[in-house]
Amino acid sequence: MSNCAAFPDAGGIRPIKYNDGVLSLIDQRLLPTEEVWLKYTDYQAVAEAIRSMVVRGAPAIGVTAAYGALFGARAIETEDYAEFVKEFDQVCEVLGATRPTAVNLFWALDRMKSLVQANPEQPVGNLKIALEYEAMAINEEDIRINMNMGRHGAALLPEKVRILTHCNAGALATGGYGTALGVIRAAVAAGKEVAVFADETRPFLQGSRLTAWELMRDNIQTVLICDNMAGYLMSKGAIDAVIVGADRIAANGDVANKIGTYTVAILAKEHNIPFYVAAPTSTIDLQLTDGSQIPIEERDTREVTHIGEQQLAPTDIAVFNPAFDVTPARLISAIITEHGVAQGNYTEQLAAYVQQSR
Ligand code: MRU
């Protein structure tokens, strides 16, 4: 079974491919200098791929975890439904323990678990087949969702626009097409004149390694800047809009995204520049009333002290490395979803959009 032929017209790379029972992930740790595809059929290896950032970006993590759950299910030997459920829950627990902030991970695993829970009368063999279809559906839906989000978001932008983006919220961070970069792709496709400024996004450099790489592949005009240059550009009137993705959005519209997003949002507010967040409803966590409840992942200090093998800081220096921050809803001009654009009262609108997806 294959999902690779879906959406041939959607721009950008597909970072997650599934063919004949094998998952292929482009190793995002090696981009942009090497394009290496790694193959997976084992759920523990998939969990490690998520943990070690072979694949990253909230929607891409969710899609990958769904395939991981499928592989875990396939490896379960029992034909007994209750035993299968117990072992499948353990598989999902391992996958869920990989990265704490992006809620798409838990959303995708819940969807796989719900399918099993809703079909107790089915033989285990049938459940495994259904799980394969579900994982592929999650993957393909994500691309369609991003294209819809792109359409809604592009309508917010003027005919000629210079956009700042932070981190990588592109095809690489999703099943394909991208969230923030999906809006940019849709604006370009609509004939708008778009120039992108990409923050390099220290410490993992998703902006310089991934955003710059994928926008250049699509011939979208892109200028790479260091994170601390955004304020200067804004003060010079060189940025018309900011668009970023999200890892988790609380019910009130507070947004967790890559570390440094909050700083960009404050800069945008100071300079009266619209600050847009593009995210699918699978990124909205209505169980959290506000952003203070979002768990923030802390990553290996080596991401800060080293680039590859190159040491940048004194040995044994104390380091703090939170991977995400929270931008309060009041700094966000609009949240773009696949169902439409939320502006103003996020609590009501986000709840309505999530309801529409159920
Ligand atoms: O640590 P990462 O690379 O997984 O963080 C990714 C981000 O913060 C993205 O901006 C977010 O997931 C949106 S991706 C469409």
Side-chain angles (χ1 to χ4, degrees):
M1 228 182 283
S2 159
N3 65 7
C4 291
F7 306 103
D9 56 334
I13 193 170
R14 303 275 172 283
I16 303 162
K17 294 178 182 172
Y18 179 74
N19 276 310
D20 302 325
V22 179
L23 177 70
S24 301
L25 301 174
I26 191 165
D27 189 342
Q28 300 195 28
R29 299 167 305 181
L30 302 180
L31 290 171
T33 50
E34 287 177 70
E35 288 180 40
V36 174
W37 288 84
L38 302 176
K39 293 194 184 308
Y40 298 88
T41 51
D42 168 68
Y43 85 95
Q44 273 159 327
V46 170
E48 187 49 34
I50 296 171
R51 189 178 297 109
S52 66
M53 310 273 271
V54 168
V55 62
R56 32 63 53 202
I61 291 170
V63 170
T64 305
Y67 286 118
L70 166 65
F71 297 150
R74 278 192 181 146
I76 297 171
E77 284 177 359
T78 183
E79 295 298 327
D80 176 70
Y81 175 78
E83 181 57 29
F84 178 77
V85 172
K86 197 171 128 214
E87 289 187 38
F88 189 59
D89 282 352
Q90 285 163 0
V91 165
C92 291
E93 228 168 88
V94 169
L95 289 159
T98 50
R99 295 198 69 194
T101 303
V103 75
N104 307 60
L105 170 65
F106 309 103
W107 170 89
L109 293 174
D110 281 349
R111 198 164 140 174
M112 298 294 274
K113 283 198 282 191
S114 300
L115 187 146
V116 170
Q117 283 154 10
N119 292 286
E121 75 295 348
Q122 288 293 333
V124 165
N126 285 1
L127 292 175
K128 292 179 184 176
I129 293 168
L131 286 169
E132 180 177 44
Y133 280 106
E134 192 71 351
M136 288 169 61
I138 288 173
N139 194 358
E140 295 189 15
E141 280 168 25
D142 187 58
I143 302 170
R144 187 168 48 243
I145 281 169
N146 290 336
M147 295 180 82
N148 282 337
M149 209 184 313
R151 224 171 7 93
H152 292 304
L156 295 170
L157 300 175
E159 289 305 307
K160 193 171 172 187
V161 61
R162 297 157 301 174
I163 298 168
L164 177 77
T165 189
H166 189 76
C167 194
N168 173 267
L172 287 167
T174 62
Y177 202 65
T179 56
L181 298 195
V183 172
I184 289 168
R185 288 194 163 96
V188 170
K192 298 193 180 191
E193 202 181 311
V194 180
V196 179
F197 287 92
D199 274 351
E200 66 173 345
T201 319
R202 279 277 289 152
F204 206 69
L205 300 172
Q206 289 93 333
S208 57
R209 295 189 305 101
L210 308 177
T211 297
W213 180 77
E214 67 167 271
L215 290 180
M216 280 184 78
R217 272 174 68 113
D218 276 12
N219 290 318
I220 295 173
Q221 194 190 321
T222 307
V223 175
L224 176 65
I225 59 169
C226 297
D227 299 329
N228 51 7
M229 297 170 187
Y232 175 70
L233 277 175
M234 289 182 185
S235 75
K236 293 288 174 193
I239 306 289
D240 303 305
V242 177
I243 311 179
V244 297
D247 290 86
R248 199 185 291 225
I249 303 177
N252 71 339
D254 289 351
V255 167
N257 191 49
K258 182 51 55 193
I259 190 76
T261 302
Y262 172 51
T263 318
V264 177
I266 289 184
L267 286 172
K269 187 74 162 180
E270 168 68 15
H271 294 92
N272 279 320
I273 296 167
F275 182 93
Y276 299 125
V277 173
T281 46
S282 53
T283 302
I284 301 169
D285 186 351
L286 294 180
Q287 289 180 335
L288 306 186
T289 50
D290 64 61
S292 68
Q293 298 160 355
I294 299 175
I296 299 295
E297 177 182 10
E298 280 183 42
R299 292 190 60 84
D300 193 339
T301 56
R302 198 182 156 90
E303 289 181 358
V304 176
T305 57
H306 288 69
I307 291 184
E309 291 308 308
Q310 178 69 47
Q311 185 171 337
L312 306 172
T315 305
D316 293 338
I317 182 72
V319 170
F320 180 45
N321 185 21
F324 303 95
D325 59 25
V326 175
T327 300
R330 69 188 147 75
L331 298 178
I332 299 169
S333 312
I335 298 177
I336 303 155
T337 75
E338 69 271 33
H339 299 306
V341 176
Q343 264 167 323
N345 184 343
Y346 291 122
T347 306
E348 265 177 36
Q349 291 177 63
L350 295 180
Y353 288 150
V354 170
Q355 189 57 36
Q356 236 176 297
S357 293
R358 282 185 180 144

